[in-house]
Amino acid sequence: MSEGGGAVDDQQEPSTRDRILAAAAAILGEDGATARLSVRAVAARAGVSVGSLRHHFPTQQDLRDEVMRRVLDWMMPRSSIGDRSVPPRERLVQCLLDVLDLSGTGAQAREAMTTMTSTFITAEQTASVREAYLAAQRDGQRRTEGWLRALAEECEIPADDIPRRARFLGTVLDGLSLERAMPAVDSLTQVESEVLFAAADVALAPVDRDG
């Protein structure tokens, strides 16, 4: 209660940045991941000026990247990459499995791959399609680099080699995601585990300073 006896509203109004992101996310939710994020349309929906939107997000790609980051933050399980009670390779493999599991298995994986193909491969290659794909690609690279940075000291990973190692892990995940959509062998889970642990061993290998 306030001093005057009135109720105090503890809820704060969303920031301008959050309103812009919510508006952009709503447009993508209604019109698809590759929908064009028109500056005027997003600003109008958020109830802000075009100048204010440009202040927070100078380009449409900046806006799309941040929407993608927040959506995947919401979808992804909380990472345990910093839990040093678990061996580094096991922590990295679990993070990779969390990404892989977003596509599901069986029919769900096939549906996800069909959607990916129709959205980014067979669709007309417009600027919006390119922006949407690059946003997803950059977010995946950023997350994987973050995991490797968290393990860099423990595993003696050179900082300048982290982007290359992250791209390698991303390629492995792409291949396993595609395999999940195919008629799979009964032991697919075991195969995935073996591949991911092998990939983690490569990604976490220290530099051979004697070579």
Side-chain angles (χ1 to χ4, degrees):
M1 301 288 287
S2 67
E3 292 181 2
V8 176
D9 185 359
D10 292 330
Q11 294 184 343
Q12 297 181 345
E13 289 294 323
S15 67
T16 298
R17 182 181 178 84
D18 285 340
R19 282 159 50 202
I20 292 169
L21 289 170
I27 291 173
L28 295 180
E30 293 168 1
D31 300 333
T34 60
R36 181 170 178 268
L37 292 178
S38 161
V39 172
R40 292 187 181 279
V42 174
R45 186 151 187 164
V48 303
S49 68
V50 170
S52 179
L53 188 151
R54 286 299 193 196
H55 170 73
H56 290 281
F57 302 99
T59 69
Q60 287 178 309
Q61 191 69 67
D62 291 332
L63 176 58
R64 195 181 292 270
D65 284 353
E66 183 61 14
V67 172
M68 177 62 69
R69 184 188 71 81
R70 293 205 177 191
V71 168
L72 289 179
D73 278 348
W74 174 73
M75 293 175 63
M76 288 280 291
R78 185 174 181 83
S79 170
S80 59
I81 197 71
D83 181 3
R84 293 202 175 197
S85 67
V86 178
R89 72 194 292 258
E90 292 184 19
R91 282 140 60 192
L92 179 58
V93 166
Q94 184 57 58
C95 289
L96 297 172
L97 275 172
D98 288 341
V99 175
L100 193 57
D101 285 343
L102 291 177
S103 63
T105 58
Q108 186 180 6
R110 288 190 290 277
E111 182 179 356
M113 189 57 63
T114 299
T115 299
M116 180 74 70
T117 300
S118 63
T119 301
F120 297 116
I121 298 177
T122 61
E124 181 183 355
Q125 299 299 294
T126 64
S128 294
V129 168
R130 177 179 172 78
E131 288 172 5
Y133 176 75
L134 291 178
Q137 186 181 54
R138 271 194 291 267
D139 189 78
Q141 177 76 9
R142 177 185 64 81
R143 288 173 191 278
T144 310
E145 286 185 16
W147 297 329
L148 293 179
R149 287 194 187 94
L151 301 173
E153 182 180 351
E154 292 176 79
C155 301
E156 300 181 22
I157 305 173
D160 60 356
D161 201 34
I162 285 177
R164 182 183 68 85
R165 297 180 186 218
R167 284 192 294 273
F168 161 70
L169 291 175
T171 301
V172 172
L173 285 177
D174 287 343
L176 290 177
S177 295
L178 178 60
E179 189 170 17
R180 279 194 175 194
M182 299 297 181
V185 297
D186 292 339
S187 59
L188 179 60
T189 299
Q190 179 181 345
V191 170
E192 286 180 351
S193 180
E194 292 172 353
V195 170
L196 288 176
F197 274 109
D201 288 338
V202 173
L204 298 178
V207 171
D208 183 2
R209 303 186 186 281
D210 297 328

